[in-house]
Amino acid sequence: MCGIWALFGSDECLSVQCLSAMKIAHRGPDAFRFENVNGFTNCCFGFHRLAVVDQLYGMQPIRVKKFPYLWLCYNGEIYNFKQLQKQFGFEYQTLVDGEVILHLYNRGGIEQTASMLDGVFAFILLDTANRKVFLARDTYGVRPLFKVLTDDGFLGVCSEAKGLINLKHSTSLCSKVEPFLPGHYEVLDLKPSGKVASVELVKFHSYKDEPLHAACDTVETLPSGSFDLETVKSNIRILFENAVRKRLMAHRRIGCLLSGGLDSSLVAAVLLKLMKEINVNYPLQTFAIGMENSPDLLAARKVAAHIGSEHHEVIFNSEEGIQAIEEVIFSLETYDITTVRASIGMYLVSKYIRKKTDSVVIFSGEGSDELTQGYIYFHKAPSPEEAAEESERLLKELYLFDVLRADRTTAAHGLELRVPFLDHRFTSYYLSLPAELRIPKNGIEKYLLRQSFEDSNLLPKEILWRPKEAFSDGIASVKKSWFSILQDYIDQQVDDLLLEKAAEKYPFNPPKTKESYYYRQTFEKHYPGRSNWLPHYWMPRWVKATDPSARTLKHYKSATQE
């Protein structure tokens, strides 16, 4: 996890512009480099490094003797860089996994490069010989990327929007900073003036398709075309274990977030099993956060005892959570209600990890709810086909919600997040299964995933079959949920009259509640006029919900009242 920043065709002095690059210093606390591009005095790269692999040669932009005309700034991890080296006979100059991007590009161009990368990434690749700039981002947008391109060809690129909004330029940049779309690459011509012109934006991978890099994966070819239940369950276990195994690539200590829910518990259990197999010489640290006696703390304690991790509990009170709201919204760059709620706990636990431990590479369970239909409202889906479509929509928008939350809250404290549920191969296989296999069954969401691990003894049965809790709800007590605590506080902060006139003040995504108004007001304080970064609020479907919390849904109420 690093922070990348680049400018092409700047009219202003670069020494002034580079102050914007410092806005993302939290993403790379180990080192910083600012480098001009030879022959283009108004083009430059900025890089904040979190050293996870190759402590000696890992600084960026990466340049190698073989390709002196290529400059690479990337944030991410390429898990198959050794397999690609073996397959194509690449001669690496460093131990940096991202170096493979240069070799792939030289061998087959940008499309093959993006398609062959098994991992998470956002990169800027400059080819001065052919006067091209390339931008690319991984399938689910696990690694963030923002850009601004003016009509006169000035390009700014950054890991977070906050590194672009204060750039100086002769024309206004106000409305043009936008997220770069996941699963896409863009080709831009670099003019002699250092300015650029966009040539094409191409979608290189659809998550339903088996990725091109599957051909050189370490997992043997799976039985295809057979949807026999035992075969399916076996394939799910094989691919999930493989997803965790490939993410063990690190020279820094590995830890794992553990809420005690199914997803993070499965990740932690498989992770610990694999770390033992390769004789990692330190215990796995797991981290849970919650208020005193919250469901998540109690469940996580059970899981940690079962798997044998070195478990840490972070207990916070409502005052600490409320005090963190503004810095959380600043980090997130969004005002989405459920994202802000869920981010507070994750932000506070990340702060603890950074200050009190030496774990840096942090595993987490993001992506499972979207992929395996884990949200409680999936029980209300009119048909398996509509549930499958909703699952795909959620995956497509992950970069606006859960993936955004997970990246920003951990990156704010210089941690690197790894999310095995969003492994390309695992997700494409799961989405290839018949729709009726993937829906909730017997009143239980994620039924197929739970069933797949039922005989593995990885988790206690009560955890494997524990009903879904939203992270923002599970960290509080059952009697009073976190969203209720927030709403009680905010009720005193926002006047009724302000809410009545909310649609006039904020015509785009107008706030409907005081909580929503408070988040929006805080967002506008830091990012005025940029509400379009959030196209719409996250809300459950097929139910007449006015709040995104699972605890407001009838299914949750009936389950907890039984």
Side-chain angles (χ1 to χ4, degrees), residues 219-252:
V219 166
E220 70 276 13
T221 306
L222 297 168
S224 60
S226 168
F227 296 124
D228 162 69
L229 188 58
E230 290 310 310
T231 304
V232 166
K233 283 158 51 177
S234 169
N235 288 347
I236 286 171
R237 288 192 301 273
I238 290 167
L239 288 173
F240 184 68
E241 194 167 297
N242 185 50
V244 176
R245 183 183 290 107
K246 67 176 78 161
R247 283 164 176 76
L248 289 170
M249 180 182 91
H251 296 164
R252 301 287 287 273

Side-chain angles (χ1 to χ4, degrees), residues 452-469:
S452 299
F453 288 92
E454 192 168 27
D455 301 323
S456 66
N457 196 36
L458 281 169
L459 294 172
K461 286 280 187 282
E462 68 268 28
I463 298 295
L464 188 65
W465 295 96
R466 183 188 175 199
K468 167 72 182 163
E469 274 271 25

Side-chain angles (χ1 to χ4, degrees), residues 278-393:
I278 60 170
N279 298 314
V280 171
N281 61 359
Y282 55 79
L284 173 67
Q285 293 180 328
T286 50
F287 304 95
I289 186 164
M291 294 178 169
E292 203 78 58
N293 294 322
S294 69
D296 277 6
L297 284 183
L298 300 174
R301 213 174 286 164
K302 275 184 194 168
V303 177
H306 184 85
I307 66 175
S309 63
E310 180 195 301
H311 192 55
H312 296 241
E313 289 186 354
V314 182
I315 295 168
F316 77 103
N317 58 38
S318 51
E319 194 180 320
E320 288 171 304
I322 286 161
Q323 280 177 350
I325 293 172
E326 182 160 352
E327 55 194 274
V328 164
I329 289 173
F330 174 73
S331 294
L332 291 175
E333 304 173 335
T334 188
Y335 51 93
D336 178 63
I337 304 160
T338 191
T339 304
V340 174
R341 284 178 191 166
S343 293
I344 293 166
M346 202 161 178
Y347 184 87
L348 292 173
V349 76
S350 297
K351 192 175 190 177
Y352 170 90
I353 294 168
R354 186 70 195 176
K355 282 187 173 177
K356 306 282 189 184
T357 79
D358 58 348
S359 287
V360 174
V361 175
I362 306 298
F363 279 68
S364 189
E366 270 71 34
S368 175
D369 285 325
E370 291 76 8
L371 177 68
T372 66
Q373 302 183 15
Y375 293 115
I376 284 169
Y377 72 85
F378 272 99
H379 290 280
K380 303 289 184 187
S383 69
E385 289 69 32
E386 284 187 63
E389 281 173 26
E390 174 66 357
S391 179
E392 287 166 34
R393 182 188 71 83

Side-chain angles (χ1 to χ4, degrees), residues 411-531:
H413 301 289
L415 304 176
E416 177 179 295
L417 190 80
R418 300 207 172 164
V419 282
F421 275 108
L422 291 176
D423 181 77
H424 298 167
R425 200 128 181 242
F426 180 72
T427 56
S428 64
Y429 177 74
Y430 207 95
L431 293 170
S432 75
L433 299 173
E436 58 274 12
L437 264 186
R438 293 182 271 146
I439 55 170
K441 286 190 175 64
N442 305 334
I444 299 169
E445 62 285 340
K446 292 189 264 205
Y447 193 86
L448 177 61
L449 182 65
R450 297 174 198 270
Q451 219 184 358
S452 299
F453 288 92
E454 192 168 27
D455 301 323
S456 66
N457 196 36
L458 281 169
L459 294 172
K461 286 280 187 282
E462 68 268 28
I463 298 295
L464 188 65
W465 295 96
R466 183 188 175 199
K468 167 72 182 163
E469 274 271 25
F471 182 49
S472 57
D473 296 333
I475 58 173
S477 72
V478 174
K479 288 177 185 171
K480 187 154 190 184
S481 65
W482 175 227
F483 79 88
S484 300
I485 292 165
L486 282 169
Q487 286 171 345
D488 288 352
Y489 166 76
I490 289 165
D491 203 42
Q492 308 302 311
Q493 310 301 312
V494 178
D495 189 78
D496 290 349
L497 194 61
L498 284 175
L499 187 60
E500 276 176 37
K501 297 190 173 179
E504 290 172 39
K505 189 172 183 181
Y506 304 122
F508 183 75
N509 280 341
K512 300 279 175 45
T513 63
K514 287 189 176 183
E515 184 188 8
S516 176
Y517 189 97
Y518 186 76
Y519 297 160
R520 179 63 171 273
Q521 184 175 257
T522 308
F523 173 86
E524 294 284 345
K525 176 181 167 185
H526 295 287
Y527 307 110
R530 301 180 192 277
S531 58

Side-chain angles (χ1 to χ4, degrees), residues 113-126:
T113 302
S115 303
M116 288 299 287
L117 298 175
D118 183 6
V120 293
F121 57 85
F123 69 74
I124 308 154
L125 176 62
L126 168 64

Side-chain angles (χ1 to χ4, degrees), residues 141-153:
V142 174
R143 291 291 174 262
L145 194 66
F146 285 81
K147 72 167 214 182
V148 58
L149 179 59
T150 64
D151 293 340
D152 65 340

